Amino acid sequence: MPLAVDQIHQGDARELLDRIADDSIALSVWSPPYFVGKSYEKDLRYEDWRQLLREVIAGHARLLRPAGFMAVNIADILCFPDPAIPRLQAEKSGGRRLPVTRADIERVLGENPGFTRYDVARHLGVSEQTVDRRMKHNNIRGGKYAAQTRVQLTGPLLEQPAYEAGLYLYDRRVWVKDPAWENSRWHTNSYRAVDEFEYIYIFWKPGITRIDRERLTRDEWVQWGSRGVWQIPSVRSNRDHEAKFPLELPRRLIRLLSQPGDTVLDPFVGSGTTAVAAIQEGRRYIGLELQPPYVQLARRACQEARGRQP
Ligand SMILES: C[S@@+](CC[C@H](N)C(=O)[O-])C[C@H]1O[C@@H](n2cnc3c(N)ncnc32)[C@H](O)[C@@H]1O
């Protein structure tokens, strides 16, 4: 049975993609797990993660319509322990590394049961975000200062499997999120654990691309349509989902790369942001999501968005 359009489907993207009709998707917009230790990716090994990307990208070759696009939002850097690299890479001198560990935070909380994470942060002289990350294990795997931590760019990890699947790099944009976060602001001359920008890589399935200059207003072309750098504040509240992208991001991609009535896919739909943007822009959508609570969240978001339609 092919997957119904205008629905969020629960399951593994690698399996569900096989059930999407050939040549039916005009645009796919997604942000994969980043392999940075979020709760929904804690059981993934690096090789599994790469394989997930490979399979999802390969799946697109069949279901994108000719001249369709796949736009992937991803941060640049991966950080993971690699015993094969020299230890020297991790040496530091002068140490401005935060000495605060999860155990320190637990001790302060034990001594001061009523403390919020803001109180703990003040008490330990660190930012509230540091406390939050330590507690949620929501941190770059290994940490870039751990001995033998390897950093790797993500662009090639998308480009190579896309090329092998017959999808070609068409464009890329830089999404500038926020000024450096409080706890990334110390002096650093290497990769930041939390960076100020991410990428959007756009791949193209061969076909005749219709470039419709009327798709955006003149102002939109000037402000962002023709620009390589997009300034969009990130979503700071992560109470319901850990890694949402802002609505404006899929909205721009949808307006730029599809027509009203087209179907937009998000195989990692999370809280449903891409589907909501599709509804608002008069497109159809298919959303896939592994985690049942996020499926519910996305379905509710779509229902609300449809309710707000004129
Ligand atoms: C970076 S988040 C995407 C967030 C989304 N863009 C939003 O704005 O809410 C990645 C999502 O992929 C989901 N996920 C991870 N592995 C998956 C898989 N194999 N199939 C489908 N979804 C998966 C996670 O549960 C998570 O919600």
Side-chain angles (χ1 to χ4, degrees):
M1 268 280 282
L3 292 185
V5 180
D6 295 333
Q7 299 281 338
I8 305 293
H9 299 273
Q10 192 270 322
D12 191 317
R14 287 166 289 195
E15 287 152 27
L16 293 179
L17 285 179
D18 288 345
R19 293 177 46 203
I20 295 178
D22 290 4
D23 300 341
S24 64
I25 302 294
L27 170 66
S28 181
V29 177
W30 46 277
S31 185
Y34 280 15
F35 198 70
V36 290
K38 301 264 182 200
S39 65
Y40 55 71
E41 59 191 27
K42 65 182 186 311
D43 299 324
L44 273 185
R45 287 175 308 122
Y46 175 60
E47 259 318 310
D48 301 337
W49 178 82
R50 285 194 65 177
Q51 187 59 21
L52 171 67
L53 287 186
R54 254 185 240 123
E55 287 179 37
V56 169
I57 291 170
H60 278 74
R62 181 190 57 76
L63 56 84
L64 283 182
R65 69 164 187 222
F69 295 105
M70 177 179 77
V72 186
N73 158 233
I74 194 162
D76 212 4
I77 196 72
L78 275 179
C79 230
F80 53 96
D82 181 351
I85 66 164
R87 294 187 69 85
L88 185 63
Q89 178 172 345
E91 269 188 9
K92 66 184 172 69
S93 58
R96 293 215 53 181
R97 182 186 172 194
L98 274 188
V100 170
T101 63
R102 185 183 166 99
D104 294 328
I105 295 167
E106 278 167 348
R107 178 180 48 75
V108 171
L109 282 172
E111 289 164 4
N112 307 277
F115 264 23
T116 65
R117 67 174 192 266
Y118 295 91
D119 299 326
V120 176
R122 243 188 321 273
H123 189 87
L124 289 168
V126 297
S127 76
E128 160 270 327
Q129 285 157 350
T130 298
V131 175
D132 198 37
R133 283 217 200 89
R134 294 286 190 278
M135 293 313 287
K136 288 185 181 151
H137 296 286
N138 176 6
N139 216 337
I140 295 286
R141 232 165 252 231
K144 70 173 175 161
Y145 295 113
Q148 290 165 297
T149 293
R150 176 156 163 223
V151 292
Q152 189 170 348
L153 301 175
T154 49
L157 303 180
L158 302 176
E159 191 186 9
Q160 187 61 30
Y163 185 81
E164 284 163 15
L167 304 173
Y168 303 95
L169 191 59
Y170 185 84
D171 194 6
R172 58 99 184 76
R173 311 264 168 149
V174 172
W175 164 32
V176 176
K177 300 187 285 186
D178 313 292
W181 287 26
E182 180 124 6
N183 54 353
S184 317
R185 241 189 253 148
W186 329 306
H187 301 265
T188 172
N189 65 355
S190 72
Y191 287 111
R192 284 143 199 83
V194 180
D195 224 325
E196 291 171 72
F197 64 92
E198 299 193 1
Y199 287 93
I200 300 154
Y201 293 105
I202 299 169
F203 298 91
W204 170 77
K205 175 166 165 175
I208 297 171
T209 303
R210 221 175 105 209
I211 299 175
D212 179 0
R213 298 199 192 286
E214 304 300 313
R215 205 175 271 166
L216 304 185
T217 63
R218 192 178 180 288
D219 240 30
E220 285 176 313
W221 281 115
V222 171
Q223 298 293 329
W224 55 266
S226 313
R227 304 288 301 274
V229 174
W230 287 357
Q231 305 259 3
I232 309 174
S234 68
V235 182
R236 299 301 282 266
S237 126
N238 60 3
R239 222 156 267 169
D240 50 359
H241 189 282
E242 287 187 79
K244 290 179 280 200
F245 51 38
L247 187 63
E248 181 66 6
L249 192 140
R251 195 186 79 83
R252 288 187 185 184
L253 292 163
I254 287 169
R255 287 181 61 69
L256 197 60
L257 299 169
S258 72
Q259 300 277 47
D262 281 347
T263 303
V264 177
L265 168 70
D266 186 337
F268 298 103
V269 80
S271 62
T273 317
T274 302
V276 169
I279 293 167
Q280 291 181 351
E281 295 301 325
R283 273 64 165 174
R284 310 195 70 190
Y285 66 91
I286 296 179
L288 314 178
E289 171 58 50
L290 189 58
Q291 307 269 4
Y294 294 155
V295 172
Q296 294 310 324
L297 189 63
R299 285 182 181 155
R300 272 201 306 277
C302 291
Q303 212 168 12
E304 275 170 31
R306 270 195 298 268
R308 285 195 304 268
Q309 287 302 93

